[in-house]
Amino acid sequence: MDSEQSARALLIGAVALIVLIAAGFIAFGYWYSVVRPRNRTVLQADSISISYSAMKRRMGYELFQNINLQQQPQALPELTYQTLLQELTVINRSQPDKDVSATPDEIDAKLRARVGVGVEATQKQFADALLRQLDTTGLHDNEYRRLITAELLTTKVKDKFKLELPLNVQQAKVEVIVVSTLDDAKKAAARVQGGEDWATVAKAVSQEVDVQKTGGLHDYTPKGNLNAAYDAYAFDANTPLGAVSAPLTASGGSQFFVVRVDDRADKPVTEDQKPKLADTKYSEWLVAQQDQMTVARHWSTQDESAALTSVLNSSGTKLINQQRQQQQAQQTVQAVPARQPTAQAPAPGAADPNAPAPGAGQNPPVPNAPVAPGNGQ
């Protein structure tokens, strides 16, 4: 090879090396700034980890399930984090602590019900329906299956708590007045202390929905099932019966409560009370189990803000379409006129136009409606 060919080869090699180095820097930059942040863990609960991308997908799912979050999206990052933490807790701890598990058949049946296919559907029909559901929810297959599994386990654990409830629990009978300002609460308390009837004052000023019917009276209710602003007060042994409380409010609350505890006593647990009592037990159980787990939070304020902005930007058009469809559905329901009964009796010997046809007597079958993504209710 002569000197000119050598120089040309060196030049080509140098250019190729520079291109390779530049490509390497670009690839590393893309991995460092895009791929690595997407895949980094933001929540670790024992052996299960949630990546930043998975958290964003779940935020999108929760946004479309909860209309309150659409109106107050700033709560979305923290609510999603807590929802996932509870989900991982019940998956990790239901078996070792409560001897509760979900079989593959049970999970499969719940999945089929959620995506709208029955047990008679073929595997391909089930797979196609599941793919449509994943496309609608934005979740990955393993994420959606984990959600379904957690729902199933949650129901089973709560059912077990219902069975473990005692026959009798301490309950409180209270009278309540709810107002929006501290000054209004003080005025209401002063009126009662001045001798006015509690129900009269409550009906005049309280914001409870059913106050005109109840007069502010809440019959015997177990601990944990009253409003958080006065539940602890009602069951505090130092709270005297018959005394009018100072204005009470929950942390960060926008309402004030005036309370009088009429009685505290052990009362039988009713069937209506069992679901709420089980919910309270379940919430306490989650907190206790999380204290025994290895939970690492890497969900920073910066992550929350960036993820929320990204989710809202990508969901804008979809949200608008969803709201438009809901409005159209409501308008369609409102536009359907009610069938007016005819007041004119049929002529003698004539067929009654409202009479069922021969062999009728049953409503026609209603075709299966498409199943929307569930919210765990």
Side-chain angles (χ1 to χ4, degrees):
M1 182 180 295
D2 58 25
S3 58
E4 183 177 351
Q5 291 175 325
S6 298
R8 187 180 297 111
L10 288 173
L11 178 61
I12 293 173
V15 170
L17 180 60
I18 293 172
V19 170
L20 286 174
I21 293 174
F25 275 114
I26 293 172
F28 177 78
Y30 180 80
W31 173 84
Y32 188 83
S33 62
V34 178
V35 177
R36 187 182 68 91
R38 287 177 181 171
N39 294 328
R40 74 181 186 279
T41 297
V42 294
L43 168 61
Q44 180 84 32
D46 282 350
S47 61
I48 307 177
S49 60
I50 304 296
S51 70
Y52 177 78
S53 295
M55 185 70 78
K56 281 177 56 178
R57 287 190 293 272
R58 187 57 177 265
M59 285 173 62
Y61 173 84
E62 297 295 336
L63 181 65
F64 284 94
Q65 301 304 308
N66 192 332
I67 192 170
N68 292 328
L69 289 175
Q70 297 172 21
Q71 298 169 348
Q72 296 180 319
Q74 65 275 9
L76 180 60
E78 183 61 23
L79 183 143
T80 303
Y81 176 89
Q82 294 300 332
T83 298
L84 275 171
L85 178 56
Q86 293 176 12
E87 189 174 287
L88 301 188
T89 301
V90 72
I91 288 175
N92 279 320
R93 300 298 301 169
S94 60
Q95 173 63 46
D97 189 73
K98 301 298 293 180
D99 194 26
V100 169
S101 61
T103 67
D105 286 344
E106 289 174 327
I107 296 171
D108 182 78
K110 189 171 181 66
L111 268 172
R112 285 173 175 265
R114 182 60 61 82
V115 302
V117 299
V119 293
E120 73 284 352
T122 66
Q123 191 62 32
K124 183 180 186 307
Q125 290 172 327
F126 171 50
D128 290 343
L130 179 58
L131 284 175
R132 289 193 296 271
Q133 190 80 330
L134 295 177
D135 182 63
T136 300
T137 63
L139 299 177
H140 288 181
D141 181 81
N142 67 313
E143 296 163 357
Y144 192 70
R145 289 177 182 272
R146 184 179 62 216
L147 181 152
I148 294 297
T149 303
E151 288 181 5
L152 186 58
L153 290 171
T154 296
T155 299
K156 286 192 166 191
V157 172
K158 287 184 178 181
D159 286 344
K160 191 160 189 177
F161 277 125
K162 286 181 187 178
L163 295 174
E164 295 172 350
L165 289 173
L167 295 177
N168 299 282
V169 296
Q170 188 182 50
Q171 304 190 38
K173 181 180 181 181
V174 300
E175 294 175 282
V176 182
I177 294 173
V178 186
V179 291
S180 56
T181 69
L182 177 61
D183 186 55
D184 287 341
K186 290 179 178 179
K187 290 178 180 178
R191 288 177 62 178
V192 174
Q193 290 167 335
E196 285 193 62
D197 177 66
W198 188 284
T200 300
V201 178
K203 291 178 180 180
V205 303
S206 185
Q207 297 174 352
E208 286 190 309
V209 175
D210 58 351
V211 68
Q212 297 304 319
K213 178 181 177 181
T214 66
L217 177 65
H218 294 246
D219 208 352
Y220 289 99
T221 305
K223 185 176 182 181
N225 289 358
L226 291 170
N227 189 290
Y230 57 84
D231 187 87
Y233 173 84
F235 287 92
D236 189 338
N238 295 320
T239 299
L241 299 180
V244 178
S245 74
L248 304 169
T249 188
S251 177
S254 58
Q255 292 181 314
F256 293 85
F257 301 80
V258 180
V259 180
R260 181 166 66 191
V261 182
D262 294 337
D263 189 28
R264 280 186 297 268
D266 286 342
K267 294 287 182 181
V269 176
T270 67
E271 289 299 319
D272 290 341
Q273 291 173 342
K274 286 183 179 181
K276 285 188 176 181
L277 283 171
D279 286 347
T280 300
K281 292 287 186 182
Y282 178 73
S283 297
E284 294 171 349
W285 176 80
L286 285 175
V287 173
Q289 296 308 306
Q290 288 164 14
D291 289 341
Q292 300 177 35
M293 294 167 58
T294 301
V295 178
R297 175 174 180 147
H298 307 291
W299 188 229
S300 66
T301 302
Q302 184 178 0
D303 287 334
E304 293 181 7
S305 178
L308 178 60
T309 299
S310 176
V311 169
L312 292 178
N313 286 341
S314 62
S315 301
T317 302
K318 191 175 178 181
L319 273 175
I320 292 173
N321 290 336
Q322 182 191 58
Q323 292 167 356
R324 184 181 294 118
Q325 290 172 358
Q326 291 171 347
Q327 291 172 355
Q328 290 174 347
Q330 292 174 353
Q331 292 171 357
T332 300
V333 171
Q334 293 171 356
V336 176
R339 181 178 178 180
Q340 299 297 325
T342 178
Q344 183 177 0
D352 185 349
N354 295 321
Q362 295 183 348
N363 292 327
V366 179
N368 291 331
V371 177
N375 62 2
Q377 297 287 330

